[in-house]
């Protein structure tokens, strides 16, 4: 099939397939092709923004995700992804606003609560971070990363037994979770229980 004669829908489908197969350069070129023809194509702005974040092109990702939000302001994933990009760019207050907006749009968005918890932790707002991680776990009890992140805040707050419980839950849910195993061991070292570490 000649690429020149593809419709925007066909080009978009091809871009998504390539992104899913991790052919990111091919996907990127296809999204850019669509945006040349239709700069306000929401999904291309959103997915190219997401892909740009994956490939650590955070400034480009930020512009594309902001454009996607401008086109479709009530798309929670776009706010969440923009928040992650802003966090990478050390724009923590802006990231916080994005995660809060994602939650406002979708009150059961476990990822957005987890991400908001990460930003609050980085801002030193531990109690609020704990509340966010707990809300993420309430929405999705098998959210290993949220259990791990909650454990990190407890560990940093000196509540080591609570931290250990969180790390154990994360490992129970996801047995190969290297960060959780590492945090678990380091917490026992802090407790001077070297035999358990």
């Amino acid at each position: 099939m000649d690429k020149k004669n593809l419709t925007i829908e066909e080009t978009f489908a091809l871009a998504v397939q390539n992104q899913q197969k991790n052919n990111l350069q091919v996907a990127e070129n296809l999204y850019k092709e669509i945006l040349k023809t239709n700069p306000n194509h929401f999904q291309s702005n959103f997915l190219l923004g997401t892909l740009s974040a994956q490939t650590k092109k955070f400034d480009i990702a930020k512009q594309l995700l902001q454009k996607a939000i401008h086109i479709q302001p009530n798309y929670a994933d776009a706010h969440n992804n923009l928040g992650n990009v802003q966090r990478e760019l050390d724009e923590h207050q802006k990231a916080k606003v994005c995660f809060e907006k994602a939650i406002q749009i979708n009150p059961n968005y476990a990822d957005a609560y987890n991400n908001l918890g990460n930003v609050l932790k980085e801002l030193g707002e531990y109690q609020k971070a704990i509340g966010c991680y707990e809300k993420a776990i309430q929405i999705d009890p098998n959210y290993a990363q949220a259990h791990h992140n909650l454990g990190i805040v407890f560990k940093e707050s000196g509540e080591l037994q609570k931290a250990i419980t969180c790390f154990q839950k994360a490992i129970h849910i996801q047995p190969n979770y290297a960060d959780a195993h590492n945090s678990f061991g380091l917490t026992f070292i802090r407790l001077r229980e070297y035999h358990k570490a």
Side-chain angles (χ1 to χ4, degrees):
M1 194 193 281
D2 183 13
K3 259 181 27 177
K4 294 281 178 234
N5 299 324
L6 293 180
T7 65
I8 284 182
E9 289 74 24
E10 290 166 334
T11 307
F12 178 72
L14 200 56
V16 170
Q17 282 172 7
N18 277 285
Q19 189 168 1
Q20 288 168 342
K21 290 177 186 166
N22 222 24
N23 299 330
L24 301 183
Q25 191 58 58
V26 175
E28 181 179 331
N29 294 338
L30 290 166
Y31 290 130
K32 284 179 178 175
E33 210 175 288
I34 293 166
L35 292 173
K36 265 187 240 167
T37 310
N38 179 1
N40 291 322
H41 191 265
F42 167 74
Q43 287 129 324
S44 293
N45 278 290
F46 172 68
L47 290 173
L48 182 54
T50 303
L51 185 154
S52 298
Q54 265 181 287
T55 55
K56 310 240 182 274
K57 298 175 190 164
F58 297 117
D59 289 322
I60 294 167
K62 180 179 169 180
Q63 290 171 2
L64 289 160
L65 291 167
Q66 285 173 331
K67 176 122 192 206
I69 288 167
H70 181 74
I71 298 164
Q72 204 168 315
N74 289 322
Y75 194 67
D77 287 350
H79 290 279
N80 184 58
N81 290 8
L82 178 58
N84 284 326
V85 166
Q86 288 175 319
R87 186 172 161 233
E88 290 288 346
L89 293 169
D90 289 325
E91 297 174 357
H92 292 89
Q93 289 298 339
K94 288 180 181 175
K96 182 179 161 191
V97 170
C98 286
F99 297 134
E100 288 168 345
K101 182 68 180 171
I103 290 164
Q104 183 189 335
I105 295 165
N106 177 3
N108 290 316
Y109 198 162
D111 271 350
Y113 277 106
N114 182 60
N115 293 333
L116 179 57
N118 290 338
V119 167
L120 291 167
K121 180 184 76 173
E122 285 158 8
L123 292 169
E125 298 179 39
Y126 287 162
Q127 283 312 308
K128 287 182 183 173
I130 288 169
C132 287
Y133 295 136
E134 287 174 341
K135 183 69 178 172
I137 291 164
Q138 181 189 336
I139 294 165
D140 179 2
N142 291 320
Y143 196 163
Q145 198 177 8
H147 284 286
H148 176 252
N149 291 338
L150 180 59
I152 294 289
V153 175
F154 282 137
K155 183 178 159 214
E156 288 178 12
S157 305
E159 297 184 63
L160 301 183
Q161 289 303 331
K162 283 185 181 178
I164 286 168
T165 302
C166 292
F167 299 142
Q168 284 174 320
K169 283 181 185 166
I171 292 165
H172 177 75
I173 294 162
Q174 198 174 320
N176 296 329
Y177 193 168
D179 286 345
H181 282 282
N182 187 40
S183 299
F184 187 62
L186 291 173
T187 307
F188 277 116
I189 289 169
R190 261 185 74 183
L191 285 166
R192 292 181 166 56
E193 294 185 27
Y194 303 110
H195 60 288
K196 291 183 183 172

